[in-house]
Amino acid sequence: MDFSNAARELYGVDPDEFVETRTRLVREAKKAGDAALAKRIGGLRRPTVSAWAVNLLARAAAGDLGRLLDVGDELRAAWGAGGGGLGELEGRRARSVDGLLREAESLAAGAGHPLRDQALREVEDTLQAATVDAEVAAEVRAGTLARPRSHTGFVPAGFPVAPEGGEPRTRPKKEREEKGGKAGAKDKPGEAGKPRRRAESGRPSGRAAERDRTARDRTARDRTARDGAARARRAAALRERAAEAERALAEREAEAASARDAADRASAEVGRLRHELDRAAAARDAAVRKAERAGQARDRADDAARRARRKAADAGGDARGR
């Protein structure tokens, strides 16, 4: 057992089983004589619900997640190359993130941990950050997140401000020389086609700031739309579950009514059988009494016959004596 495999196993279990699994892995590492590995595993923290949901995606939706991370690679490459094709990549990213959010919501609900709005936002933030930051992308791909991730700002860290329309905004050298000979602070000489970076003060130029605001507004609108869609899906799911519960209740009530009817019929049958049993018992008692009376009559007839025979015998003896 090594640390990577132990971490992947640990972050793949249900959050309720995390502590128990971690204890087992620490015990196994100690048993193998690797105290350092046991200490590293013991230091792993239980994931938040949102981080666990992203880890679920890394296992159950690895293909879709990999395609999103590939889009992130293309986005970072496009930023580095001057911004060409960003619109199409942004659209692919938005669609991929939306699909993965639905998948995460379904997987988490199926595992008994439905995602609330805050957790869904954290899942989305983590997926967006993974398309901007290669280190976050590696964590997401490994499926061993303990906490959600986020990236502040629209432009990836370390990348220049995207030029308008994907074309460089630096003026040709000849034009700069005609207007002053030396390039100003905002137009430092450089390789042709190299995108202008943020001003040394750390603030973007007015046009760049406006593009950033536009991009952030678009991202906010997309997020609002996705939040609304997610709420609508949850509401629809709740309505469906309520309808299913009502159908199940109606079925149980029908089964209960049928059971009551069957019980009533069984009770009536028991009553009928008891009545017949009582009648049979009465008939048996009457037959016993009749048999007893017949026996008594037979006994009386036998007694009468014996008396008659004795009387006849006595009469015959008297006649012989005379």
Side-chain angles (χ1 to χ4, degrees):
M1 176 175 60
D2 59 21
F3 180 75
S4 296
N5 289 333
R8 183 161 179 83
E9 177 183 353
L10 184 57
Y11 284 105
V13 302
D14 188 284
D16 294 338
E17 301 173 4
F18 184 89
V19 174
E20 180 182 353
T21 304
R22 182 180 60 190
T23 300
R24 175 178 59 79
L25 292 172
V26 168
R27 186 168 56 248
E28 290 177 2
K30 288 181 178 179
K31 186 177 180 180
D34 196 337
L37 177 59
K39 183 176 181 180
R40 289 186 69 188
I41 295 173
L44 294 174
R45 302 272 68 84
R46 175 176 172 172
T48 64
V49 172
S50 58
W52 166 77
V54 176
N55 294 337
L56 266 184
L57 289 175
R59 290 162 174 78
D64 292 338
L65 182 61
R67 283 186 282 276
L68 172 66
L69 299 180
D70 290 343
V71 170
D73 292 340
E74 296 180 51
L75 274 169
R76 293 192 296 275
W79 277 106
L86 281 175
E88 189 268 338
L89 289 171
E90 287 286 356
R92 286 169 56 194
R93 174 169 69 171
R95 290 189 295 273
S96 184
V97 168
D98 188 58
L100 285 167
L101 281 175
R102 290 196 298 270
E103 183 67 16
E105 192 173 19
S106 174
L107 288 170
H113 299 279
L115 298 178
R116 299 183 182 274
D117 288 346
Q118 178 62 31
L120 275 173
R121 284 193 291 270
E122 290 175 352
V123 171
E124 180 182 7
D125 288 344
T126 300
L127 295 175
Q128 296 283 8
T131 64
V132 174
D133 190 321
E135 292 183 0
V136 176
E139 290 182 299
V140 168
R141 196 186 298 272
T144 56
L145 286 175
R147 295 290 181 271
R149 298 288 187 263
S150 63
H151 177 78
T152 56
F154 178 73
V155 181
F159 288 117
V161 176
E164 185 176 3
E167 297 295 333
R169 290 205 310 269
T170 54
R171 291 173 294 179
K173 181 178 180 181
K174 182 178 179 180
E175 181 182 345
R176 293 199 306 273
E177 289 176 348
E178 289 175 353
K179 295 193 176 184
K182 293 184 178 181
K186 294 184 178 180
D187 288 319
K188 292 183 179 180
E191 297 177 1
K194 183 177 181 180
R196 184 174 63 188
R197 297 181 179 276
R198 295 183 185 273
E200 292 180 359
S201 64
R203 296 181 180 179
S205 64
R207 296 179 66 186
E210 178 62 27
R211 282 197 304 278
D212 277 359
R213 283 194 296 272
T214 300
R216 285 194 295 272
D217 289 345
R218 184 173 64 249
T219 300
R221 287 195 299 273
D222 290 345
R223 175 176 292 180
T224 299
R226 285 192 291 271
D227 287 347
R231 285 192 293 271
R233 289 195 300 273
R234 286 193 294 277
L238 288 173
R239 287 194 296 271
E240 179 60 25
R241 285 197 290 272
E244 290 178 358
E246 289 178 356
R247 288 193 293 270
L249 178 61
E251 290 175 359
R252 300 294 88 77
E253 289 178 344
E255 291 174 358
S258 177
R260 287 193 296 271
D261 291 343
D264 291 343
R265 288 193 298 272
S267 178
E269 181 66 12
V270 169
R272 185 184 67 79
L273 292 174
R274 283 178 176 170
H275 179 66
E276 290 184 359
L277 181 62
D278 291 342
R279 291 176 57 189
R284 180 201 62 196
D285 293 342
V288 168
R289 289 193 296 271
K290 185 174 181 180
E292 290 175 348
R293 288 195 296 270
Q296 292 170 358
R298 182 193 61 206
D299 293 341
R300 287 195 296 271
D302 289 343
D303 290 341
R306 284 193 295 273
R307 287 196 298 273
R309 285 194 294 272
R310 285 197 298 270
K311 188 175 182 180
D314 292 343
D318 291 342
R320 286 191 297 271
R322 287 195 298 269

